[in-house]
Amino acid sequence: MSAPTLVTGLGIVSPNGAGIEEFWARTLAGDSGIATVTRFDPASYPSRLAGEVTDVAVEDNLPNRLLPQTDRMTRLSLVATDWALADAGADTAELPEFGTGVITAASSGGFEFGQNELQKLWRKGSRHVSAYQSFAWFYAVNTGQISIRNEMRGPSGVLVADQAGGLDALGQARRQVSKGTGLIVTGGVDGSICPWGWVAQTAQGRLSTENSPDRGFLPFDARAAGHVPGEGGAILIVEDAESAARRGVAGAYGEIAGYAATIDPPPGSGREPGLRRTVETALADAGCGPGDVDAVFADAAATPSLDRSEADAISAVFGPAAVPVTAPKTMTGRLHSGGGPLDVAAALLAVRDGVIPPTVNVSPDPGYALDLVGPGPRAARVRTALVLARGHGGFNSAVVVREHR
Amino acid sequence: MNRRVVITGMGVLAPGGVGTKEFWKLLTDGRTATRRITFFDPAPFRSQVAAEIDFAPELHGLGAQQVRRMDRAAQLAVVAASSAVEDSGIGELDPYRTGVTVGSAVGATMGLEEEYRVVSDDGRAWLVDHEYAVPHLYDRFVPSSFAAEVAWAVGAEGPAAVVSTGCTSGLDAVGHAAAVLAEGSADVMVAGATDAPISPITSACFDAIKATTPRNDDAEHASRPFDATRNGFVLGEGAAVFVLEERDSALRRGAHVYAEVRGFASRCNAFHMTGLRPDGREMAEAIRVALAEARTDPADIDYINAHGSGTKQNDRHETAAFKRSLGEHAYRVPVSSIKSMIGHSLGAIGSLEIAASALAIEHDVVPPTANLHEPDPECDLDYVPVTAREWATDCVLAVGSGFGGFQSAMVLTGAEGGRW
Amino acid sequence: MSIEDLLRILRECAGAEEGVTIDESILDTDFDGLGYDSIALLEITSRIERDFDVRLDDESIDSGATPRNLHSLVNDG
C-alpha cells in the first residue's frame, strides 16, 4: 500500500455517549452505558442487561419519510454518517460522482423490523406484511440507505463476519481507497435489542445472566461469565492522503496502517486458533513490529476459554504483560459489527489525546498475564494501536491504526 | 502485488438438477425449472411460483449434525464448496493461505422463519420464548456462519467473510475474493454464493411490492425476461462456489482453468432502495470500469450474461446500461438471462451466472433466454431467444443489479487469455 | 374512510419530507410532490385495502395522483 489511508471523520453512537466528545469524556471517566433493558420487558429472560443508545433523538435528526421504512440500527447509522461527514468537513455533493463509496458491516440486519413483519405474517396473514420488509431488514440496508441519503455512487459493499466484520469493512474500505476511490464511508452501527434478537443471542450461550450492570461484563476477570450485548457503533470517513489534501483537509485522526483477517480451524481440531497469526499479519501489513504498538484494544469476549485464547495470542506476540491492553467495551457491551469500528474510533482518540481509555469493573486475573488498563485511564503517548475483534464461528480480524504526521 | 486470478474448480446446485453438468444441460436445452411452490402452501400469496431444488443433503455427504446445525442456504454452500474443491483437483489445501468468501442476500431467512414460528407460537407472542429456541439459532441469526461452515468443510483458515449486497452478492463475493487473492492475502480462495429464500416471509414481502410474477397458471413459463409480457421475477434458490487460484501457480500444477477473472467493479445508484433509474448510468459505469480493469474494449465482449430478472423496470434499465457502456456493440453481442430457466435466487444468482459464463467460454455455447416470444420495443437487443447458440465465446461480461442500488459487472476470459 | 383516516395512514406508512406537515393542506399535492415513491404508495394502498376492506386497482394510483384522488377512489369506487 503506497499512500496512507487516513481517517478524517468520526460519527459515534455509543451506549455511553453520542458524538465524539460526549463518548470520549464518558469513556475516559469510566462512565458505563450498560443498564437493564428498556426496549422490551426482559423479566422473562435469563439475561437482562444491555448497552442501549439512549441519547440520540433519531426523529429529530432524520426526515420523517425515512422512519416508517427503517429499523433502529439503520436510523442510528444514518445519524452517525451525517455526523462523520460533518466532522470530516466533507460535502459528498461536491466530490466526484463515482469517487465516494459506502462499505459497512452488518451482522443480523434490521432484526426488530423483521420481528414485526414476521409477527404480522403469522398472526394476521401475508397481506399484512409491509412493502418495506423487502429491504428494511436485510444486511445491505445501511449501505444502501447511506448511499442514497448522501448520493454516493462509487464502490460500495457490505461485510458480515459477526463481531469481526466491523474491522473487515475498514479493511475493504482501505483496499478501495488504495485502488483509487477518494473517500469511503465505512464502519458499522448494529444492534438487535428486541425479543426475537434477544432469544437468538441467548441461544449462543454467551450472554451474562448478571443483573448488576457493574458485574455483567468482566473480561479477563476470574468472575467472567459471558458478555452484555449492546447497540450502536461508529461510522468512519476514510480517504487517501492525496484526495484529503485536495479538499483542503489539514489534519486527520490517524491512518489505517494495517489489516488482516483469518478464521479459526473447526472446533475440536486441536489446531491453534487464528488470532496470533492475524495480529502478526496485520503488524506486517502496517510495516511495524510488536515493539511499535503502544496499546491493544482487545476483543474481550468475557467467556473464559475465549479470554484465555486472546490473552495467549497477545502474550505470544508481545510477551507477557508487555503491552497495555484495554477493553472500553466494558462500558458499552459488545456491539456486534459496530464494536470493532467503535474501538477503532477510541484508538484514534487515544492517539489524538495521549491517553488509553480504561477497562471498567474488572479485577484482572493474573493468570492471563495482561497489563490491563483500568479502572482509570492511563496517560501514554500512543503512536500505534492495535484493535482486535472476533466473531462467532471463529472469525478473527485486526486493524492497526497509526498517528499521521 | 497484483496477481492474475483464475477459476479452477466449480460446484453448482441449481433448480432443475444438482451438479454442474445438470446445470449446463438444463441451460443449453433451454428447459425451465420454475414450478408451483411446493415448500409451503402458496395459495394465500399473489405469486405462487418458484424455482426449487430437489435437494437431499444427506445424499451429498452432509452428516446428521451438519444438517441439523445448518440452514438450507449453508447446506447448499457447503456442498457446492466441497464439489468445487474436488473439481479443482488441487488436493490438500494450505489452510493459512486459503480464504473463503460467501455471498448471500438474505442469509438464513428460511431457518429463521421456522424458528420464529416456534418461539412465538405462530406469531402469538411478542415476547418470544427462549425455552423453545434451537441451540444453533445464533448460526441463523448471523449469516457469517455460512463462511465458517465452508471454511471448516474445505480446511481454510485464511481471510473469511460473507459479502451481503443484495442481489449482486454473488458477483461481489467473487469480485471480493479475487481482490484478496490478487493482493496476495491468500493463494487460494473458495468463493461463491448461496441463498435459499423460498419461504412465506420472502414471498409476502415481494408480493407487497409486486416484484414477483403473478403468472400462477403457467408456472413453467412464468419467468420471462425481456419479453413484452414480463410482469415480475420468479423466486429461486441455489449455490455456486468456485476455487480461485493465482494464474501462474494454477498453470504450473496443470490445473484445468475454466476462466480468468479479468475485471470487476461495483457502483451504487444512490437513487432508491428498490427502484432503478431508466437510463442505466451506474450499471454502465460499473461495466466501463470492469472493462478498463480487464484492459478490454466493448468490441471484445462476445457474450453478456444479463441480470435479466424479468421485472418491467430491470430489463429496461439493463438494456439502457448496455447501450450506454458498449455503444453500437450492444446490438451485436448476444445477451441472455438464465433467470428465465432457474429463477432469481437473490444473492446466489450472481455466482450461478459466473458459472454459466465460464461454461459458455468452455463450450463456446451461449445459453438462451427461455420464454422470450414477444419482443418489447424497449428491449431491442439480441437476447438469444428460446434456443442456445453455438458461439465462439472467449470474453464474457456478467452483470447484476440489486436492492440497495448495487450495480456490479465482471469480465471473464478464457484460460489462455484468448486475444489478450 | 375519512380524511383524518387517510392522513393518519399517510403519516404512518410514508411520513413527511422535511418541511412538510401531513395535514389538510397537502390534499391536493401530488404524491411525487410529497416525495412518495412507488413503494410508499404500495404501502399506503395495501394498508387501505386491509383496513377498509376495499380492492384498489394496481394502476389507479400513481405518483401523479393526490391524496384527495385516493380518498375519492376509496369512497366512491
Side-chain angles (χ1 to χ4, degrees):
Chain A
M1 305 267 171
S2 43
T5 303
L6 305 181
V7 178
T8 56
L10 300 175
I12 293 174
V13 283
S14 171
N16 69 336
I20 298 166
E21 301 312 330
E22 169 75 8
F23 161 75
W24 192 230
R26 286 184 61 183
T27 298
L28 293 180
D31 186 359
S32 169
I34 291 173
T36 302
V37 171
T38 64
R39 204 69 51 69
F40 60 91
D41 179 0
S44 61
Y45 299 102
S47 303
R48 287 166 290 271
L49 295 174
E52 294 179 350
V53 173
T54 53
D55 54 355
V56 181
V58 282
E59 294 75 13
D60 300 340
N61 283 283
L62 293 176
N64 183 269
R65 270 287 284 123
L66 281 170
L67 300 182
Q69 58 174 290
T70 45
D71 184 83
R72 176 171 170 79
M73 59 115 206
T74 301
R75 298 174 190 173
L76 291 173
S77 78
L78 288 166
V79 172
T81 302
D82 287 354
W83 294 348
L85 285 166
D87 186 41
D91 180 352
T92 47
E94 288 175 3
L95 295 168
E97 180 173 15
F98 292 106
T100 64
V102 186
I103 298 170
T104 65
S107 67
S108 55
F111 219 69
E112 184 173 16
F113 197 103
Q115 179 176 0
N116 271 307
E117 300 309 316
L118 280 166
Q119 183 165 38
K120 286 189 211 162
L121 169 64
W122 285 99
R123 187 190 269 180
K124 297 178 175 169
S126 66
R127 287 181 56 223
H128 292 259
V129 171
S130 164
Y132 303 123
Q133 169 70 4
S134 58
F135 58 83
W137 78 275
F138 84 151
Y139 311 102
V141 66
N142 290 2
T143 285
Q145 292 282 20
I146 290 168
S147 76
I148 293 168
R149 181 163 164 78
N150 300 288
E151 294 194 55
M152 304 175 76
R153 299 196 166 83
S156 293
V158 181
L159 288 153
V160 183
D162 196 38
Q163 177 101 7
L167 297 185
D168 297 333
L170 268 56
Q172 175 67 0
R174 174 167 169 259
R175 194 176 276 135
Q176 291 294 4
V177 164
S178 75
K179 285 175 80 174
T181 301
L183 180 150
I184 303 265
V185 167
T186 186
V189 174
D190 209 347
S192 296
I193 305 178
C194 63
W196 176 217
W198 208 247
V199 164
Q201 292 174 78
T202 301
Q204 189 195 16
R206 289 187 191 156
L207 294 192
S208 164
T209 55
E210 264 294 336
N211 285 323
S212 164
D214 58 4
R215 288 199 306 270
F217 186 19
L218 303 172
F220 307 115
D221 188 313
R223 299 168 294 163
H227 69 265
V228 171
E231 64 176 358
I235 294 292
L236 287 73
I237 307 302
V238 302
E239 299 183 70
D240 83 272
E242 281 172 29
S243 58
R246 260 202 304 281
R247 50 175 204 94
V249 174
Y253 288 99
E255 87 183 74
I256 307 282
Y259 160 75
T262 68
I263 187 161
D264 290 343
S269 72
R271 293 171 59 83
E272 187 196 358
L275 188 61
R276 177 188 57 80
R277 200 160 37 89
T278 312
V279 172
E280 290 168 351
T281 310
L283 292 177
D285 188 36
C288 67
D292 298 315
V293 174
D294 303 306
V296 174
F297 288 69
D299 173 64
T303 292
S305 61
L306 290 167
D307 284 351
R308 167 56 60 197
S309 67
E310 182 169 34
D312 286 353
I314 292 170
S315 291
V317 175
F318 297 95
V323 64
V325 174
T326 190
K329 59 170 65 76
T330 47
M331 292 173 261
T332 65
R334 289 176 69 83
L335 308 185
H336 312 275
S337 71
L342 185 62
D343 275 345
V344 169
L348 290 164
L349 295 169
V351 168
R352 183 188 75 175
D353 292 350
V355 58
I356 303 172
T359 307
V360 301
N361 301 322
V362 170
S363 305
D365 179 342
Y368 289 120
L370 294 178
D371 171 16
L372 204 63
V373 176
R378 185 187 298 179
R381 177 82 192 273
V382 182
R383 294 185 183 85
T384 302
L386 171 71
V387 179
L388 305 179
R390 290 177 296 179
H392 176 85
F395 296 89
N396 307 291
S397 296
V399 158
V400 178
V401 301
R402 188 157 54 203
E403 70 176 347
H404 176 66
R405 278 176 298 181
Chain B
M1 190 162 2
N2 222 341
R3 310 186 298 173
R4 295 172 68 173
V5 177
V6 292
I7 296 173
T8 59
M10 192 186 290
V12 178
L13 283 84
V18 169
T20 306
K21 278 204 181 94
E22 290 75 4
F23 170 65
W24 188 239
K25 181 138 186 14
L26 180 97
L27 297 187
T28 49
D29 287 352
R31 282 181 288 125
T32 68
T34 55
R35 66 189 187 196
R36 184 174 170 82
I37 290 172
T38 67
F39 289 180
F40 55 90
D41 176 12
F45 295 89
R46 178 178 180 271
S47 178
Q48 301 168 0
V49 291
E52 300 168 338
I53 305 182
D54 297 309
F55 171 66
E58 56 280 1
L59 299 183
H60 296 277
L62 295 185
Q65 290 182 4
Q66 286 176 300
V67 172
R68 174 118 190 260
R69 186 173 73 220
M70 290 187 228
D71 181 75
R72 182 176 174 91
Q75 295 172 9
L76 295 175
V78 165
V79 171
S82 301
S83 320
V85 171
E86 194 187 333
D87 180 50
S88 74
I90 197 169
E92 198 71 15
L93 292 161
D94 174 358
Y96 290 178
R97 298 296 300 162
T98 304
V100 169
T101 313
V102 177
S104 177
V106 297
T109 281
M110 209 169 167
L112 281 171
E113 182 168 0
E114 284 164 11
E115 294 307 323
Y116 172 78
R117 287 187 60 188
V118 175
V119 298
S120 70
D121 199 12
D122 272 333
R124 287 180 190 88
W126 171 251
L127 287 170
V128 296
D129 195 336
H130 64 280
E131 299 280 352
Y132 291 91
V134 288
H136 293 287
L137 182 55
Y138 198 93
D139 290 326
R140 291 167 173 69
F141 178 62
V142 182
S144 43
S145 60
F146 298 180
E149 291 286 359
V150 168
W152 297 345
V154 304
E157 298 175 32
V162 158
V163 166
S164 187
T165 42
C167 298
T168 59
S169 299
L171 285 171
D172 295 350
V174 174
H176 180 84
V180 169
L181 211 157
E183 76 186 14
S185 297
D187 293 330
V188 175
M189 290 296 289
V190 177
T194 186
D195 259 317
I198 303 171
S199 72
I201 189 68
T202 316
S203 291
C205 78
F206 288 129
D207 274 4
I209 58 170
K210 301 184 162 77
T212 39
T213 180
R215 192 182 288 272
N216 299 324
D217 54 356
D218 188 16
E220 243 183 283
H221 307 108
S223 181
R224 309 176 78 84
F226 305 111
D227 191 274
T229 64
R230 69 187 185 278
N231 57 4
F233 72 86
V234 172
L235 193 59
E237 61 171 352
V241 177
F242 308 95
V243 173
L244 305 183
E245 290 181 71
E246 192 273 317
R247 183 173 182 267
D248 289 342
S249 67
L251 295 178
R252 261 200 311 280
R253 75 171 181 87
H256 173 72
V257 173
Y258 286 96
E260 177 172 353
V261 180
R262 288 288 295 261
F264 170 74
S266 75
R267 292 293 179 267
C268 243
N269 69 15
F271 170 64
H272 193 273
M273 287 301 288
T274 64
L276 296 165
R277 275 204 297 233
D279 64 9
R281 283 188 74 238
E282 294 80 16
M283 181 184 275
E285 174 69 9
I287 293 170
R288 196 188 62 72
V289 176
L291 288 172
E293 189 175 284
R295 291 197 215 103
T296 50
D297 294 318
D300 295 325
I301 303 293
D302 299 313
Y303 164 58
I304 299 175
N305 193 291
H307 185 67
S309 63
T311 64
K312 280 274 179 239
Q313 69 161 355
N314 175 79
D315 298 358
R316 188 175 59 199
H317 163 266
E318 199 174 6
T319 298
F322 298 149
K323 293 178 188 173
R324 200 179 180 96
S325 55
L326 305 180
E328 281 300 305
H329 189 64
Y331 292 93
R332 292 191 289 267
V333 62
V335 179
S336 69
S337 167
I338 63 171
K339 291 188 185 74
S340 59
M341 296 170 276
I342 61 167
H344 184 1
S345 43
L346 307 185
I349 193 68
S351 282
L352 289 160
E353 287 170 359
I354 291 171
S357 300
L359 292 167
I361 291 171
E362 175 118 339
H363 297 289
D364 281 329
V365 172
V366 298
T369 302
N371 305 323
L372 173 49
H373 301 289
E374 202 176 314
D376 174 351
E378 284 191 302
C379 300
D380 55 352
L381 304 178
D382 171 8
Y383 303 103
V384 196
V386 184
T387 314
R389 187 180 301 170
E390 285 191 25
W391 188 258
T393 305
D394 200 43
C395 180
V396 179
L397 171 67
V399 300
S401 178
F403 282 9
F406 302 99
Q407 312 296 330
S408 297
M410 181 175 284
V411 176
L412 298 151
T413 63
E416 297 309 313
R419 303 185 286 273
W420 295 273
Chain C
M1 184 176 72
S2 69
I3 292 286
E4 253 330 295
D5 290 331
L6 174 65
L7 294 173
R8 176 179 48 80
I9 286 171
L10 298 187
R11 279 184 217 109
E12 288 173 9
C13 292
E17 293 283 10
E18 272 157 307
V20 177
T21 307
I22 302 295
D23 58 22
E24 299 205 1
S25 69
I26 55 91
L27 286 173
D28 296 306
T29 308
D30 66 26
F31 289 115
D32 198 35
L34 291 172
Y36 286 12
D37 55 28
S38 59
I39 302 281
L41 291 178
L42 284 166
E43 184 77 356
I44 291 162
T45 50
S46 96
R47 169 76 81 85
I48 292 171
E49 287 183 340
R50 291 196 308 264
D51 288 3
F52 296 92
D53 199 22
V54 291
R55 297 297 291 174
L56 298 174
D57 185 353
D58 272 15
E59 315 293 320
S60 55
I61 291 293
D62 61 18
S63 59
T66 66
R68 198 184 299 282
N69 297 150
L70 178 57
H71 181 257
S72 312
L73 186 77
V74 173
N75 289 327
D76 312 332

